[in-house]
């Protein structure tokens, strides 16, 4: 099983690389890697397992974070309308997005960043994501609010972007233009 030892931290060059497309259908190895990433997220949300293996809780993980520079991400969370999201996605792509922005008033964190970086992280309020799931199906997801934020955080990792790259350097808690908080 994946543990925190497998997660690379900021400063590791893979976190600043643009990850490679995954040839489809995925190899046994790629399929297994993505299944392990999704299981890590689920384990991190299980109080007992998280404590036993000292896992930091997470709702998402991108393959570069385990030093695999491939376009794969896993997410597992319930959004603010109690809708469950649990996906392993290959070659995810944002095919459209709103002009309007959103953000978490609590800011963001990252399993590859062992420090707090305070500030609002402006993101698109609504996105449409296409990709291939763990069953080999083409999926098209219309996402808003918390779900849109989580998928954008993970897709950023596939493009070598860290959440704090979006924070206003001069005034981290400046209200982003044309934005509505997702968690209020
Ligand atoms: C990715 C998220 C940071 C902001 C918001 C949140 C947690 C992460 C990073 C958007 C995406 C990981 C991947 C949480 C968490 C709420 C739900 C359910 C029960 C505990 C869990 C805690 F753990 N971020 N951690 N950070 N990242 N919410 N929750 N709760 O997930 O670096 O690239 O279990
Ligand atoms: Ni992250």
């Amino acid at each position: 099983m994946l543990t925190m030892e497998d997660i690379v931290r900021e400063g590791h060059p893979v976190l600043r690389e643009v990850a490679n497309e995954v040839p489809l259908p995925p190899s046994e190895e790629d399929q297994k890697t993505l299944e392990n990433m999704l299981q890590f997220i689920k384990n991190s949300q299980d109080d007992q397992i998280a404590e036993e293996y000292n896992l930091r809780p997470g709702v998402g993980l991108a393959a570069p974070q385990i030093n695999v520079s491939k376009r794969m991400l896993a997410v597992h969370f319930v959004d603010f309308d109690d809708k469950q999201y649990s996906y392993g996605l290959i070659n995810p792509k944002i095919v459209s997005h709103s002009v309007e922005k959103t953000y978490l008033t609590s800011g963001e964190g990252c399993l590859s960043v062992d420090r707090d970086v305070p500030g609002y992280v402006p993101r698109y309020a609504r996105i449409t994501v296409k990709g291939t799931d763990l069953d080999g199906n083409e999926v098209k997801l219309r996402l808003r609010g918390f779900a849109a934020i989580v998928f954008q955080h993970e897709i950023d990792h596939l493009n070598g972007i860290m959440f704090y790259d979006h924070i206003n350097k001069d005034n981290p808690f400046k209200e982003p233009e044309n934005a509505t908080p997702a968690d209020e």
Side-chain angles (χ1 to χ4, degrees):
M1 65 177 276
L2 289 173
T3 65
M4 296 308 291
E5 279 74 42
D6 300 298
I7 296 188
V8 300
R9 311 305 158 88
E10 59 180 332
H12 191 297
V14 73
L15 293 173
R16 289 304 192 179
E17 287 169 17
V18 174
N20 302 308
E21 289 274 319
V22 176
L24 296 176
S27 65
E28 272 301 304
E29 184 196 6
D30 289 341
Q31 183 83 7
K32 197 67 202 145
T33 298
L34 189 51
E35 286 164 1
N36 289 342
M37 289 167 56
L38 184 54
Q39 190 56 50
F40 171 85
I41 299 288
K42 292 174 179 175
N43 291 343
S44 81
Q45 295 181 16
D46 177 296
D47 296 344
Q48 263 177 318
I49 298 175
E51 182 165 351
E52 183 177 352
Y53 294 93
N54 196 17
L55 307 179
R56 254 184 79 184
V59 293
L61 188 68
Q65 293 182 276
I66 57 171
N67 202 14
V68 174
S69 194
K70 295 184 178 183
R71 305 188 77 82
M72 304 194 294
L73 64 84
V75 297
H76 186 80
F77 62 91
V78 176
D79 74 6
F80 299 136
D81 314 328
D82 290 336
K83 186 172 177 342
Q84 168 82 49
Y85 291 82
S86 191
Y87 289 93
L89 273 191
I90 298 171
N91 302 332
K93 186 174 178 42
I94 295 174
V95 293
S96 67
H97 63 80
S98 60
V99 172
E100 189 191 359
K101 296 281 186 69
T102 188
Y103 59 98
L104 291 173
T105 55
S106 55
E108 295 185 13
C110 182
L111 294 175
S112 294
V113 179
D114 295 334
R115 61 192 172 105
D116 284 350
V117 185
Y120 295 151
V121 182
R123 298 197 181 275
Y124 299 124
R126 293 172 300 284
I127 60 173
T128 300
V129 172
K130 274 190 175 175
T132 302
D133 69 13
L134 276 167
D135 304 324
N137 306 317
E138 262 287 309
V139 296
K140 186 175 183 177
L141 305 172
R142 289 180 180 76
L143 306 165
R144 61 182 56 242
F146 183 65
I149 290 170
V150 174
F151 277 80
Q152 287 174 81
H153 179 112
E154 305 318 331
I155 291 172
D156 267 355
H157 277 302
L158 305 184
N159 298 321
I161 298 166
M162 302 293 282
F163 73 91
Y164 46 71
D165 299 344
H166 300 289
I167 296 174
N168 181 306
K169 304 272 175 298
D170 310 329
N171 177 359
F173 289 101
K174 177 177 177 295
E175 171 91 15
E177 307 293 313
N178 187 15
T180 319
D183 49 1
E184 262 175 15

